[in-house]
């Protein structure tokens, strides 16, 4: 603002003071006091979209849950886990992402994992809402691919006691469904482990009853551009999904990794959720080596949202390089 120079007379000084007071009142209000704005403490719907060749990929957040990872990681110590977390300015309990992945091939709409639904607490179960916020409806989903049948990956199959995706075919490795949908296996499980079987049976039952659950065996192409590959160890039938379009590749790891701040640098570290920790560690080491060598895009169910990135080898471990944000064009 330009204020013209005036002779320094008493009248001029008075005029200047009046002008400044008037301007100040116009700009800031005349003596009005404002209370501080209340904190909102909510986030926007959590989805992230990118193109992979001709395929549209949308990462859907189911929410986060704080996990006591120093008590859960194995083949290491609590002290070492705490030290590794601190290197990334993190601590336990660690806020851990739970993610699903929506793939629009142009002819099929496919969801990989469905989140926890109502099987966990109030911080999870947001995948369906975020799918809608991302511009889709559950009725539009043609197929649902399950990496494995732990409750936080299948709970979203349900809306109440009905199928959340009424028009979808649900697919998973046959040895995975044979294990979790077995009454005999549930009967043999310890009391603390029976809940996982009950949840799997409840989540899959509407689809099984409707003839819409179709398990597959081995490494197989499910639709053009999407292949299931075995990644056993975390569970007996844990699967990864390879998505390819126009020379671009994305591998959806499922629960191959849980704690990025620890396991990228130390792939040998396992977690108590693994059914076969030795096999899980071997699968992880091979997957990390392949991703770093070939340079393709990877994603994980429990990597920090939006969970997409590349790996770079460094020493005996790896560095996680998250995707650079870019709008879809």
């Amino acid at each position: 603002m330009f204020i013209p120079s005036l002779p320094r007379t008493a009248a001029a000084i008075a005029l200047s003071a009046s002008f400044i007071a008037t301007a100040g009142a116009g700009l800031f209000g005349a003596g009005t006091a404002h209370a501080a704005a209340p904190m909102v403490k909510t986030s926007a719907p959590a989805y992230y979209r990118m193109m992979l060749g001709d395929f549209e990929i949308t990462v859907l957040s189911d929410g986060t849950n704080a996990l006591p990872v120093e008590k859960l990681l194995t083949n290491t110590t609590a002290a070492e886990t705490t030290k590794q977390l601190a290197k990334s300015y993190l601590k336990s309990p660690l806020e851990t992402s739970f993610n699903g992945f929506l793939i629009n091939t142009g002819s099929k709409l496919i969801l990989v994992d469905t989140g926890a639904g109502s099987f966990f607490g109030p911080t999870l179960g947001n995948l369906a809402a975020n799918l809608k916020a991302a511009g889709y409806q559950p009725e539009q989903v043609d197929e649902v691919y399950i990496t494995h049948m732990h409750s936080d990956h299948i709970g979203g199959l349900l809306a109440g006691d009905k199928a959340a995706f009424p028009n979808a075919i649900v697919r998973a490795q046959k040895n995975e469904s044979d294990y979790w949908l077995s009454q005999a296996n549930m009967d043999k499980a310890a009391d603390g482990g029976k809940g996982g079987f009950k949840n799997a049976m409840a989540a899959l039952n509407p689809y099984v009853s409707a003839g819409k659950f179709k398990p597959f065996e081995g490494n197989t192409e499910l639709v053009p551009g999407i292949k299931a590959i075995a990644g056993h160890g975390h569970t007996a039938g844990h699967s990864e999904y390879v998505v390819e379009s126009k020379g671009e590749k994305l591998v959806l790891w499922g629960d191959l990794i849980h704690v990025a701040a620890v396991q990228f640098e130390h792939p040998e570290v396992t977690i108590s959720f693994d059914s076969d920790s030795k096999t899980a560690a071997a699968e992880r080491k091979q997957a990390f080596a392949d991703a770093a060598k070939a340079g393709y895009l990877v994603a994980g169910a429990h990597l920090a949202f939006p969970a997409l990135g590349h790996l770079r080898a460094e020493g005996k471990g790896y560095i996680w390089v998250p995707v650079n944000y870019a709008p879809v064009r």
Side-chain angles (χ1 to χ4, degrees):
M1 180 183 295
F2 173 70
I3 301 176
S5 176
L6 295 173
R8 302 302 293 168
T9 64
I13 292 170
L15 178 61
S16 296
S18 175
F19 178 84
I20 292 169
T22 302
L27 289 173
F28 306 111
T32 303
H34 294 281
M39 295 182 184
V40 179
K41 293 190 176 180
T42 58
S43 298
Y47 66 89
Y48 178 82
R49 184 164 286 143
M50 59 164 283
M51 296 301 295
L52 184 86
D54 287 332
F55 291 0
E56 179 196 78
I57 310 293
T58 306
V59 188
L60 301 170
S61 172
D62 193 51
T64 65
N65 200 12
L67 299 179
V69 295
E70 85 287 1
K71 299 176 182 177
L72 298 174
L73 292 180
T74 52
N75 200 28
T76 186
T77 65
E80 185 61 27
T81 295
T82 299
K83 178 182 175 181
Q84 284 293 123
L85 291 174
K87 288 172 64 175
S88 296
Y89 302 95
L90 299 170
K91 61 183 179 180
S92 185
L94 179 66
E95 204 71 42
T96 302
S97 292
F98 290 66
N99 308 305
F101 301 88
L102 190 68
I103 306 159
N104 191 334
T105 70
S107 60
K108 292 275 189 180
L109 187 63
I110 296 162
L111 177 63
V112 178
D113 285 339
T114 67
S118 62
F119 289 161
F120 281 69
T123 62
L124 296 176
N126 302 310
L127 187 141
N130 286 325
L131 182 146
K132 293 174 184 177
Y136 291 101
Q137 295 298 317
E139 294 79 11
Q140 293 176 287
V141 175
D142 296 299
E143 301 195 17
V144 177
Y145 300 158
I146 301 298
T147 58
H148 63 296
M149 293 189 178
H150 281 167
S151 297
D152 56 310
H153 296 257
I154 58 173
L157 284 170
L158 290 175
D161 60 354
K162 301 186 185 317
F165 305 100
N167 300 315
I169 298 296
V170 177
R171 311 206 68 186
Q173 279 274 5
K174 185 175 185 300
N175 51 344
E176 184 75 0
S177 57
D178 284 350
Y179 178 78
W180 289 104
L181 302 183
S182 166
Q183 183 66 44
N185 286 341
M186 185 174 78
D187 292 342
K188 290 185 291 186
D191 288 345
K194 293 184 188 298
F197 291 93
K198 292 177 181 177
N199 287 346
M201 293 174 187
L204 271 296
N205 182 60
Y207 302 91
V208 172
S209 299
K212 291 186 174 182
F213 177 59
K214 297 184 178 180
F216 55 85
E217 296 185 70
N219 298 345
T220 183
E221 185 177 65
L222 301 175
V223 295
I226 304 179
K227 179 190 292 184
I229 59 172
H232 302 165
H234 183 59
T235 63
H238 182 277
S239 296
E240 301 164 34
Y241 294 97
V242 180
V243 186
E244 296 184 88
S245 175
K246 294 186 73 174
E248 297 183 29
K249 180 176 178 178
L250 164 66
V251 179
L252 302 176
W253 275 342
D255 275 14
L256 189 78
I257 180 172
H258 290 80
V259 185
V262 176
Q263 290 175 293
F264 278 131
E265 189 171 347
H266 295 280
E268 74 279 5
V269 173
T270 48
I271 196 164
S272 59
F273 305 140
D274 293 334
S275 62
D276 180 347
S277 60
K278 184 177 180 179
T279 300
E283 289 282 351
R284 180 164 45 257
K285 290 175 183 178
Q286 185 62 56
F288 285 7
D290 290 348
K293 182 178 180 180
Y296 52 72
L297 196 63
V298 296
H302 299 296
L303 294 176
F305 180 84
L308 293 160
H310 297 86
L311 282 193
R312 185 176 72 245
E314 183 171 279
K316 295 181 179 180
Y318 299 86
I319 300 295
W320 173 243
V321 184
V323 292
N324 183 54
Y325 173 78
V328 176
R329 294 186 175 90

